Amino acid sequence: RLPTLEELKGLLELSARHRRHLAGVERAIYWTATPYGQEGHRFWAVSFLSEQAAPMEEHNYNSVVCVRGGTR
């Protein structure tokens, strides 16, 4: 499944804190499963380049990283 915004921010913090590359995670922008607003066509994305999060339209080409387990 796609991670929530908070889960992906946690991975970014872990990566920065340990100054290492997470396996399979490149310096790119990644989708989250967290919707932005009520429209249903915007979702939060997290940049592993700028370490920022922003809502993006669903037609953008961003990377995905999957996580295991239930949502938090």
Side-chain angles (χ1 to χ4, degrees):
R1 68 174 173 82
L2 288 176
T4 65
L5 177 59
E6 293 307 313
E7 288 172 326
L8 198 52
K9 282 182 174 179
L11 286 175
L12 179 60
E13 289 171 13
L14 179 68
S15 173
R17 189 175 330 130
H18 295 288
R19 303 234 185 270
R20 67 176 182 198
H21 182 76
L22 297 174
V25 179
E26 300 176 6
R27 293 176 50 99
I29 299 172
Y30 289 89
W31 285 114
T32 74
T34 305
Y36 177 81
Q38 301 297 321
E39 302 106 19
H41 64 277
R42 296 178 84 186
F43 291 84
W44 283 97
V46 175
S47 172
F48 276 60
L49 297 164
S50 67
E51 300 182 4
Q52 302 275 329
M56 301 189 95
E57 300 276 335
E58 65 184 356
H59 61 79
N60 286 304
Y61 290 99
N62 293 323
S63 298
V64 296
V65 61
C66 295
V67 295
R68 286 194 277 187
T71 59
R72 292 183 180 188

